[in-house]
Amino acid sequence: MRSLGHQIVADFYHCDSSTLSDVDIVTDAMLEAARRAGCTIVTQTFHHFSPYGVSGAVIVAESHLAIHTWPEYGYAAVDVFTCGDIIQPEDALNYLKEAFGAGQVSTMEMKRGQVEMMGVPAHEVRVKPVSMLSA
């Protein structure tokens, strides 16, 4: 099945609570995860909630990485959505597992934008080129 995107939704359990509550550490980890996956970083935004928790996203030319943390439970919900065949979302998730000290990870993978459902001949479908960044 040919698709426009590949999305992995991951639940990280038994993580280090102090790591998950630090917006700078979470930001740095998400940016490094994007780099390790081979993504082209466009922008990022992260927010620290009071009393604890971080939510944020890294927008990449190939789509996005997003996170929501619950330090009080040692839990983080992570979403890695990539377009094309060059990016390695598994590399991002493996790095985040280490960075957050996750004891257990559960993932669900989805193919997004199934070409045969669009009624467009597969040979005509193109993923977004990095040059679109300047548009």
Side-chain angles (χ1 to χ4, degrees):
M1 167 179 31
R2 177 118 192 266
S3 64
L4 296 178
H6 180 206
Q7 186 171 20
I8 303 177
V9 178
D11 292 322
F12 289 78
Y13 297 98
H14 313 292
C15 298
D16 180 74
S17 293
S18 62
T19 297
L20 295 183
S21 62
D22 187 315
V23 69
D24 293 327
I25 293 174
V26 171
T27 300
D28 290 346
M30 292 293 287
L31 290 169
E32 180 61 21
R35 286 189 284 273
R36 291 196 182 203
C39 296
T40 304
I41 297 170
V42 176
T43 191
Q44 47 95 8
T45 185
F46 288 84
H47 178 78
H48 181 263
F49 290 95
S50 183
Y52 35 67
V54 174
S55 288
V58 179
I59 306 305
V60 297
E62 303 81 8
S63 202
H64 71 264
L65 290 79
I67 188 167
H68 305 284
T69 73
W70 285 263
E72 67 273 31
Y73 303 117
Y75 171 76
V78 176
D79 175 23
V80 179
F81 190 165
T82 60
C83 298
D85 299 325
I86 298 170
I87 304 306
Q88 301 298 318
E90 296 84 2
D91 291 347
L93 292 172
N94 288 334
Y95 173 76
L96 292 173
K97 179 181 179 185
E98 284 184 36
F100 299 145
Q104 185 176 356
V105 178
S106 173
T107 62
M108 179 176 58
E109 295 189 50
M110 296 173 275
K111 298 292 184 185
R112 304 295 304 270
Q114 298 174 29
V115 172
E116 54 271 1
M117 300 289 282
M118 294 177 195
V120 177
H123 68 276
E124 292 181 13
V125 175
R126 306 280 184 265
V127 294
K128 291 187 275 182
V130 175
S131 63
M132 289 186 75
L133 290 176
S134 59

